[in-house]
């Protein structure tokens, strides 16, 4: 009996090796199919810039400031969807009457290539290299103020802070890569900029130093591990939102899922085809950032578990953030 088992053993290992080999051979083909069926994307310009009448202009609302930061990290890892997210947020806020919208994008005003045309599975850059357009809404005008660097963020926050009063609001949007860092026994999260990175604690300090203490600020962090990132932001009168908790965010070739859903809620129309979607939960004719978060949370069907919290007295939260 022992002799029979000894004879069977080599055959059994050859069978396992055969199955393992088949698995290795089939995996690239499977990934190829997934990429072609789910991650092709619609190319440039992205869907929201092809729909007439999607962004209906509204009267300017004074005292509303926005800073959109599209980090990108590097030309090899800067996916087209980050530009699409930036453009979608810019067009959405502009159509809703935001007084000032400032944008910091990858390498800023440089004409050198700074991103991939497309990415395999939305992860690995495979397309030709190209320069990110500075015109975010298709009107032929430059909408980018500078590069996504620490120095540029500090400058923009300082400039915005000098214009703000107690009743004004600032909305900061981050769309880029996020990574984890282990410091001793503490796991922290960084947001990636163009060749740089920063922690939530640093952003907290910059905002405290530049924005009036009695003005409200809302921050939407849409990078991987962003839920951990916003844990370090302690400034009073701040509404914090993150799309990736505790791990990564989800995206397709054209958009990151939660930023897309967030803008969809604000617009009350689909950025893909312009079809109206349910919005305005309380029926007052106005979709706040808080309502947009709630609607996006309900429509976000991928496992990224967005989070939202308020630092400060909830009774004093402006209607815009509720």
């Amino acid at each position: 009996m022992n002799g029979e088992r000894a004879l069977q053993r080599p055959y059994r290992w050859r069978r396992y090796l055969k199955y393992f080999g088949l698995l290795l051979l089939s995996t690239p083909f499977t990934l190829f199919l997934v990429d072609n069926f789910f991650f092709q994307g619609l190319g440039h310009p992205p869907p929201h810039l092809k729909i007439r009448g999607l962004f209906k202009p509204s009267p300017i609302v004074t005292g509303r400031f926005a800073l959109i930061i599209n980090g990108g990290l590097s030309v090899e890892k800067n996916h087209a969807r980050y530009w699409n997210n930036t453009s979608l947020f810019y067009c959405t806020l502009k159509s809703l009457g935001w007084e000032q919208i400032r944008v910091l994008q990858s390498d800023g005003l440089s004409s050198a290539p700074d991103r991939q045309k497309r990415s395999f599975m939305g992860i690995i850059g495979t397309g030709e290299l190209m320069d990110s357009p500075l015109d975010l809404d298709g009107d032929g005008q430059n909408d980018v103020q500078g590069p996504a660097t620490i120095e540029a963020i500090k400058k923009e926050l300082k400039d915005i802070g000098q214009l703000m009063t107690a009743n004004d609001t600032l909305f900061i949007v981050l769309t880029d890569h996020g990574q984890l860092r282990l410091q001793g026994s503490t796991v922290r999260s960084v947001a990636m900029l163009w060749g740089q990175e920063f922690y939530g604690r640093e952003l907290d300090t910059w905002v405290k130093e530049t924005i009036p203490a009695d003005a409200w600020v809302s921050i939407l962090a849409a990078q991987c591990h962003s839920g951990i990132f916003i844990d370090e932001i302690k400034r009073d009168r701040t509404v914090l939102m993150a799309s990736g908790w505790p791990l990564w965010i989800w995206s397709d070739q054209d958009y990151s899922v939660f930023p897309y859903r967030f803008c969809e809620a604000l617009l009350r129309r689909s950025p893909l085809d312009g079809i109206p979607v349910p919005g305005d939960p309380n029926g007052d004719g106005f979709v706040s950032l808080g309502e947009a978060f709630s609607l996006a949370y309900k429509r976000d069907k991928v496992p990224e578990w967005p989070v939202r919290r308020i630092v400060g007295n909830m009774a004093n939260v402006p209607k815009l953030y509720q």
Side-chain angles (χ1 to χ4, degrees), residues 211-233:
I211 306 302
D214 49 3
W216 277 85
V217 176
S218 183
I219 300 173
L220 171 56
Q223 73 274 11
C224 288
H225 318 295
S226 50
I228 300 174
F229 178 86
I230 64 172
D231 283 342
E232 298 185 357
I233 301 175

PDB file of all heavy atoms in Angstrom, residues 211-233:
ATOM      1  N   ILE A 211      -6.526  80.516   6.291  1.00  0.00           N
ATOM      2  CA  ILE A 211      -7.961  80.766   6.150  1.00  0.00           C
ATOM      3  C   ILE A 211      -8.513  81.332   7.457  1.00  0.00           C
ATOM      4  O   ILE A 211      -8.187  80.819   8.532  1.00  0.00           O
ATOM      5  CB  ILE A 211      -8.707  79.469   5.767  1.00  0.00           C
ATOM      6  CG1 ILE A 211      -8.086  78.848   4.519  1.00  0.00           C
ATOM      7  CG2 ILE A 211     -10.190  79.748   5.557  1.00  0.00           C
ATOM      8  CD1 ILE A 211      -8.065  79.743   3.297  1.00  0.00           C
ATOM      9  N   PRO A 212      -9.328  82.386   7.399  1.00  0.00           N
ATOM     10  CA  PRO A 212      -9.895  82.958   8.626  1.00  0.00           C
ATOM     11  C   PRO A 212     -10.537  81.887   9.505  1.00  0.00           C
ATOM     12  O   PRO A 212     -11.265  81.017   9.012  1.00  0.00           O
ATOM     13  CB  PRO A 212     -10.934  83.946   8.100  1.00  0.00           C
ATOM     14  CG  PRO A 212     -10.436  84.342   6.750  1.00  0.00           C
ATOM     15  CD  PRO A 212      -9.775  83.113   6.195  1.00  0.00           C
ATOM     16  N   ALA A 213     -10.270  81.952  10.811  1.00  0.00           N
ATOM     17  CA  ALA A 213     -10.733  80.910  11.733  1.00  0.00           C
ATOM     18  C   ALA A 213     -12.245  80.835  11.807  1.00  0.00           C
ATOM     19  O   ALA A 213     -12.799  79.776  12.137  1.00  0.00           O
ATOM     20  CB  ALA A 213     -10.149  81.154  13.123  1.00  0.00           C
ATOM     21  N   ASP A 214     -12.939  81.935  11.516  1.00  0.00           N
ATOM     22  CA  ASP A 214     -14.405  81.932  11.607  1.00  0.00           C
ATOM     23  C   ASP A 214     -15.064  81.599  10.273  1.00  0.00           C
ATOM     24  O   ASP A 214     -16.293  81.662  10.155  1.00  0.00           O
ATOM     25  CB  ASP A 214     -14.924  83.264  12.135  1.00  0.00           C
ATOM     26  CG  ASP A 214     -14.318  84.462  11.410  1.00  0.00           C
ATOM     27  OD1 ASP A 214     -13.537  84.249  10.469  1.00  0.00           O
ATOM     28  OD2 ASP A 214     -14.626  85.600  11.796  1.00  0.00           O
ATOM     29  N   ALA A 215     -14.290  81.248   9.245  1.00  0.00           N
ATOM     30  CA  ALA A 215     -14.844  80.827   7.959  1.00  0.00           C
ATOM     31  C   ALA A 215     -14.920  79.301   7.916  1.00  0.00           C
ATOM     32  O   ALA A 215     -14.057  78.608   8.460  1.00  0.00           O
ATOM     33  CB  ALA A 215     -13.983  81.339   6.811  1.00  0.00           C
ATOM     34  N   TRP A 216     -15.941  78.789   7.252  1.00  0.00           N
ATOM     35  CA  TRP A 216     -16.092  77.342   7.142  1.00  0.00           C
ATOM     36  C   TRP A 216     -15.343  76.806   5.922  1.00  0.00           C
ATOM     37  O   TRP A 216     -15.274  77.452   4.877  1.00  0.00           O
ATOM     38  CB  TRP A 216     -17.572  76.962   7.038  1.00  0.00           C
ATOM     39  CG  TRP A 216     -18.239  76.898   8.369  1.00  0.00           C
ATOM     40  CD1 TRP A 216     -18.797  77.938   9.073  1.00  0.00           C
ATOM     41  CD2 TRP A 216     -18.398  75.731   9.188  1.00  0.00           C
ATOM     42  NE1 TRP A 216     -19.285  77.492  10.264  1.00  0.00           N
ATOM     43  CE2 TRP A 216     -19.069  76.139  10.371  1.00  0.00           C
ATOM     44  CE3 TRP A 216     -18.056  74.388   9.048  1.00  0.00           C
ATOM     45  CZ2 TRP A 216     -19.396  75.251  11.392  1.00  0.00           C
ATOM     46  CZ3 TRP A 216     -18.383  73.501  10.057  1.00  0.00           C
ATOM     47  CH2 TRP A 216     -19.041  73.935  11.211  1.00  0.00           C
ATOM     48  N   VAL A 217     -14.776  75.621   6.090  1.00  0.00           N
ATOM     49  CA  VAL A 217     -14.028  74.947   5.027  1.00  0.00           C
ATOM     50  C   VAL A 217     -14.572  73.530   4.867  1.00  0.00           C
ATOM     51  O   VAL A 217     -14.890  72.867   5.856  1.00  0.00           O
ATOM     52  CB  VAL A 217     -12.515  74.889   5.353  1.00  0.00           C
ATOM     53  CG1 VAL A 217     -11.763  74.090   4.291  1.00  0.00           C
ATOM     54  CG2 VAL A 217     -11.936  76.291   5.487  1.00  0.00           C
ATOM     55  N   SER A 218     -14.687  73.079   3.630  1.00  0.00           N
ATOM     56  CA  SER A 218     -15.053  71.687   3.360  1.00  0.00           C
ATOM     57  C   SER A 218     -13.964  71.060   2.513  1.00  0.00           C
ATOM     58  O   SER A 218     -13.470  71.678   1.568  1.00  0.00           O
ATOM     59  CB  SER A 218     -16.396  71.603   2.625  1.00  0.00           C
ATOM     60  OG  SER A 218     -16.770  70.256   2.426  1.00  0.00           O
ATOM     61  N   ILE A 219     -13.562  69.850   2.864  1.00  0.00           N
ATOM     62  CA  ILE A 219     -12.492  69.151   2.155  1.00  0.00           C
ATOM     63  C   ILE A 219     -13.004  67.797   1.684  1.00  0.00           C
ATOM     64  O   ILE A 219     -13.485  66.998   2.483  1.00  0.00           O
ATOM     65  CB  ILE A 219     -11.260  68.954   3.063  1.00  0.00           C
ATOM     66  CG1 ILE A 219     -10.713  70.316   3.524  1.00  0.00           C
ATOM     67  CG2 ILE A 219     -10.174  68.162   2.338  1.00  0.00           C
ATOM     68  CD1 ILE A 219      -9.604  70.201   4.555  1.00  0.00           C
ATOM     69  N   LEU A 220     -12.908  67.552   0.385  1.00  0.00           N
ATOM     70  CA  LEU A 220     -13.229  66.244  -0.185  1.00  0.00           C
ATOM     71  C   LEU A 220     -11.931  65.611  -0.669  1.00  0.00           C
ATOM     72  O   LEU A 220     -11.316  66.086  -1.633  1.00  0.00           O
ATOM     73  CB  LEU A 220     -14.213  66.375  -1.346  1.00  0.00           C
ATOM     74  CG  LEU A 220     -14.470  65.101  -2.166  1.00  0.00           C
ATOM     75  CD1 LEU A 220     -14.952  63.962  -1.285  1.00  0.00           C
ATOM     76  CD2 LEU A 220     -15.464  65.363  -3.288  1.00  0.00           C
ATOM     77  N   ALA A 221     -11.492  64.566   0.014  1.00  0.00           N
ATOM     78  CA  ALA A 221     -10.274  63.848  -0.363  1.00  0.00           C
ATOM     79  C   ALA A 221     -10.679  62.604  -1.138  1.00  0.00           C
ATOM     80  O   ALA A 221     -11.330  61.714  -0.587  1.00  0.00           O
ATOM     81  CB  ALA A 221      -9.462  63.476   0.877  1.00  0.00           C
ATOM     82  N   ALA A 222     -10.287  62.541  -2.409  1.00  0.00           N
ATOM     83  CA  ALA A 222     -10.733  61.452  -3.284  1.00  0.00           C
ATOM     84  C   ALA A 222      -9.565  60.606  -3.762  1.00  0.00           C
ATOM     85  O   ALA A 222      -9.528  60.170  -4.909  1.00  0.00           O
ATOM     86  CB  ALA A 222     -11.505  62.019  -4.471  1.00  0.00           C
ATOM     87  N   GLN A 223      -8.591  60.379  -2.869  1.00  0.00           N
ATOM     88  CA  GLN A 223      -7.469  59.509  -3.203  1.00  0.00           C
ATOM     89  C   GLN A 223      -7.534  58.247  -2.343  1.00  0.00           C
ATOM     90  O   GLN A 223      -8.302  58.179  -1.385  1.00  0.00           O
ATOM     91  CB  GLN A 223      -6.136  60.233  -2.975  1.00  0.00           C
ATOM     92  CG  GLN A 223      -5.744  60.437  -1.527  1.00  0.00           C
ATOM     93  CD  GLN A 223      -6.323  61.682  -0.890  1.00  0.00           C
ATOM     94  OE1 GLN A 223      -7.197  62.324  -1.455  1.00  0.00           O
ATOM     95  NE2 GLN A 223      -5.839  62.035   0.295  1.00  0.00           N
ATOM     96  N   CYS A 224      -6.758  57.244  -2.673  1.00  0.00           N
ATOM     97  CA  CYS A 224      -6.732  56.024  -1.872  1.00  0.00           C
ATOM     98  C   CYS A 224      -6.338  56.342  -0.436  1.00  0.00           C
ATOM     99  O   CYS A 224      -5.515  57.223  -0.178  1.00  0.00           O
ATOM    100  CB  CYS A 224      -5.749  55.021  -2.470  1.00  0.00           C
ATOM    101  SG  CYS A 224      -6.292  54.267  -4.010  1.00  0.00           S
ATOM    102  N   HIS A 225      -6.930  55.619   0.507  1.00  0.00           N
ATOM    103  CA  HIS A 225      -6.662  55.762   1.941  1.00  0.00           C
ATOM    104  C   HIS A 225      -7.027  57.159   2.457  1.00  0.00           C
ATOM    105  O   HIS A 225      -6.485  57.620   3.461  1.00  0.00           O
ATOM    106  CB  HIS A 225      -5.179  55.470   2.248  1.00  0.00           C
ATOM    107  CG  HIS A 225      -4.619  54.301   1.512  1.00  0.00           C
ATOM    108  ND1 HIS A 225      -5.067  53.016   1.713  1.00  0.00           N
ATOM    109  CD2 HIS A 225      -3.664  54.223   0.543  1.00  0.00           C
ATOM    110  CE1 HIS A 225      -4.406  52.194   0.914  1.00  0.00           C
ATOM    111  NE2 HIS A 225      -3.563  52.899   0.198  1.00  0.00           N
ATOM    112  N   SER A 226      -7.951  57.826   1.774  1.00  0.00           N
ATOM    113  CA  SER A 226      -8.292  59.207   2.139  1.00  0.00           C
ATOM    114  C   SER A 226      -9.021  59.295   3.468  1.00  0.00           C
ATOM    115  O   SER A 226      -8.971  60.335   4.140  1.00  0.00           O
ATOM    116  CB  SER A 226      -9.131  59.858   1.039  1.00  0.00           C
ATOM    117  OG  SER A 226     -10.222  59.030   0.667  1.00  0.00           O
ATOM    118  N   GLY A 227      -9.695  58.207   3.891  1.00  0.00           N
ATOM    119  CA  GLY A 227     -10.339  58.222   5.193  1.00  0.00           C
ATOM    120  C   GLY A 227      -9.332  58.359   6.318  1.00  0.00           C
ATOM    121  O   GLY A 227      -9.588  59.024   7.325  1.00  0.00           O
ATOM    122  N   ILE A 228      -8.176  57.726   6.161  1.00  0.00           N
ATOM    123  CA  ILE A 228      -7.105  57.851   7.143  1.00  0.00           C
ATOM    124  C   ILE A 228      -6.462  59.228   7.039  1.00  0.00           C
ATOM    125  O   ILE A 228      -6.080  59.832   8.043  1.00  0.00           O
ATOM    126  CB  ILE A 228      -6.061  56.734   6.930  1.00  0.00           C
ATOM    127  CG1 ILE A 228      -6.723  55.372   7.097  1.00  0.00           C
ATOM    128  CG2 ILE A 228      -4.884  56.875   7.884  1.00  0.00           C
ATOM    129  CD1 ILE A 228      -5.821  54.195   6.755  1.00  0.00           C
ATOM    130  N   PHE A 229      -6.358  59.745   5.822  1.00  0.00           N
ATOM    131  CA  PHE A 229      -5.772  61.067   5.579  1.00  0.00           C
ATOM    132  C   PHE A 229      -6.523  62.155   6.343  1.00  0.00           C
ATOM    133  O   PHE A 229      -5.923  62.998   7.011  1.00  0.00           O
ATOM    134  CB  PHE A 229      -5.781  61.352   4.077  1.00  0.00           C
ATOM    135  CG  PHE A 229      -5.258  62.703   3.681  1.00  0.00           C
ATOM    136  CD1 PHE A 229      -3.903  62.900   3.483  1.00  0.00           C
ATOM    137  CD2 PHE A 229      -6.120  63.775   3.501  1.00  0.00           C
ATOM    138  CE1 PHE A 229      -3.411  64.149   3.100  1.00  0.00           C
ATOM    139  CE2 PHE A 229      -5.638  65.020   3.123  1.00  0.00           C
ATOM    140  CZ  PHE A 229      -4.281  65.211   2.922  1.00  0.00           C
ATOM    141  N   ILE A 230      -7.861  62.168   6.261  1.00  0.00           N
ATOM    142  CA  ILE A 230      -8.621  63.254   6.900  1.00  0.00           C
ATOM    143  C   ILE A 230      -8.693  63.103   8.418  1.00  0.00           C
ATOM    144  O   ILE A 230      -9.087  64.053   9.105  1.00  0.00           O
ATOM    145  CB  ILE A 230     -10.046  63.374   6.313  1.00  0.00           C
ATOM    146  CG1 ILE A 230     -10.873  62.117   6.613  1.00  0.00           C
ATOM    147  CG2 ILE A 230      -9.991  63.665   4.816  1.00  0.00           C
ATOM    148  CD1 ILE A 230     -12.349  62.258   6.235  1.00  0.00           C
ATOM    149  N   ASP A 231      -8.295  61.948   8.957  1.00  0.00           N
ATOM    150  CA  ASP A 231      -8.269  61.787  10.413  1.00  0.00           C
ATOM    151  C   ASP A 231      -7.341  62.800  11.071  1.00  0.00           C
ATOM    152  O   ASP A 231      -7.506  63.129  12.244  1.00  0.00           O
ATOM    153  CB  ASP A 231      -7.806  60.370  10.791  1.00  0.00           C
ATOM    154  CG  ASP A 231      -8.902  59.333  10.610  1.00  0.00           C
ATOM    155  OD1 ASP A 231     -10.078  59.733  10.527  1.00  0.00           O
ATOM    156  OD2 ASP A 231      -8.577  58.140  10.540  1.00  0.00           O
ATOM    157  N   GLU A 232      -6.350  63.292  10.327  1.00  0.00           N
ATOM    158  CA  GLU A 232      -5.366  64.208  10.890  1.00  0.00           C
ATOM    159  C   GLU A 232      -5.773  65.673  10.782  1.00  0.00           C
ATOM    160  O   GLU A 232      -5.038  66.557  11.224  1.00  0.00           O
ATOM    161  CB  GLU A 232      -4.009  64.006  10.209  1.00  0.00           C
ATOM    162  CG  GLU A 232      -3.437  62.614  10.413  1.00  0.00           C
ATOM    163  CD  GLU A 232      -2.030  62.469   9.844  1.00  0.00           C
ATOM    164  OE1 GLU A 232      -1.523  63.438   9.251  1.00  0.00           O
ATOM    165  OE2 GLU A 232      -1.451  61.386  10.007  1.00  0.00           O
ATOM    166  N   ILE A 233      -6.915  65.942  10.190  1.00  0.00           N
ATOM    167  CA  ILE A 233      -7.378  67.327  10.031  1.00  0.00           C
ATOM    168  C   ILE A 233      -8.297  67.669  11.196  1.00  0.00           C
ATOM    169  O   ILE A 233      -9.376  67.092  11.341  1.00  0.00           O
ATOM    170  CB  ILE A 233      -8.090  67.513   8.684  1.00  0.00           C
ATOM    171  CG1 ILE A 233      -7.133  67.154   7.543  1.00  0.00           C
ATOM    172  CG2 ILE A 233      -8.599  68.942   8.535  1.00  0.00           C
ATOM    173  CD1 ILE A 233      -7.756  67.194   6.170  1.00  0.00           C
TER     174      ILE A 233
END
